[in-house]
Amino acid sequence: MTDFNLDAQERSDLGKGASRRLRRNANLVPAVIYGGEAAPQSISILAKDLAKMLENEIAFSNIIKLSVDGKSQDVVIKALQRHPAKGFVLHADFQRVVAGQKLTATVPVHLINQETSIGVKQQGGEIYLNLPDAEVTCLPQDLPDFIEVDIAKMEVGQVLHMSDLKLPQGVAFVALQHGSDLPVVNIHAPRVNKDDAPKEEGAAE
């Protein structure tokens, strides 16, 4: 697992107006830490530090060492609120990690053997990743960086659902536990371009 570290400061000036001032005047992102036995804690993080960490997709599926005014605690990213047009983070939620207690985290889905897949190489199909990331539950030490899906034997028309995947020991899909067997990836027949369709006989040149 990659080491992720963030520095933060506790904040007491709360509310939407205070959050706007933080972002506008100090280039800080308001955030909250919750979970475990401690009370929720309002903090602020330098926007550039958070943005740099989020450049690595596995930051979402790793335990982060979050130091608040010098006191470190382990957390995972629970939710991010982004600007609808510009994409930068407006607010972040972090969940405390407690040893021996299961956590939930969003983990990216990685496809392997795409080029050699039967549906692609032999049948000319196109891959569609329905689920680029998924929420999993597990103990902190079992949290994977990503979920790997081998599609080498997939054929055109085939769909892999959550229940078809073999997860690492101790890891489970949250949706599947709640009865939703979501599609993860499928291979469909290539779309026919109208310009490539054969012209009818007698059609005007």
Side-chain angles (χ1 to χ4, degrees), residues 33 38 41 64-68 71-75 96:
I33 310 170
Q41 186 177 21
I64 300 164
K65 291 284 185 183
L66 184 58
S67 179
V68 182
K71 185 178 180 180
S72 181
Q73 51 190 310
D74 291 343
V75 301
R96 294 185 181 95

Side-chain angles (χ1 to χ4, degrees), residues 47 84 168 179 182-183 186 192 194:
L182 303 177
N186 70 283
V192 177
K194 292 181 180 180

Side-chain angles (χ1 to χ4, degrees), residues 67-135:
S67 179
V68 182
D69 297 326
K71 185 178 180 180
S72 181
Q73 51 190 310
D74 291 343
V75 301
V76 292
I77 297 172
K78 191 61 180 176
L80 296 176
Q81 179 188 352
R82 295 183 179 272
H83 189 282
K86 299 181 180 179
F88 58 79
V89 177
L90 296 172
H91 190 277
D93 287 350
F94 296 96
Q95 181 180 356
R96 294 185 181 95
V97 173
V98 181
Q101 291 185 14
K102 287 189 175 182
L103 55 81
T104 58
T106 300
V107 177
V109 175
H110 287 181
L111 303 180
I112 60 171
N113 295 321
Q114 299 182 60
E115 295 80 5
T116 57
S117 171
I118 293 173
V120 175
K121 188 173 183 179
Q122 299 180 23
Q123 301 171 337
E126 297 177 350
I127 301 167
Y128 181 72
L129 181 59
N130 305 77
L131 204 68
D133 50 58
E135 193 173 39

Side-chain angles (χ1 to χ4, degrees), residues 163-176:
S163 60
D164 298 315
L165 307 186
K166 185 177 180 180
L167 298 182
Q169 184 71 27
V171 181
F173 286 121
V174 173
L176 200 54

Side-chain angles (χ1 to χ4, degrees), residues 20-29 44-47:
R20 283 195 293 268
R21 287 191 294 273
L22 277 176
R23 290 189 290 262
R24 182 175 62 247
N25 300 332
N27 200 25
L28 294 169
V29 176
S44 60
I45 304 168
L46 276 174

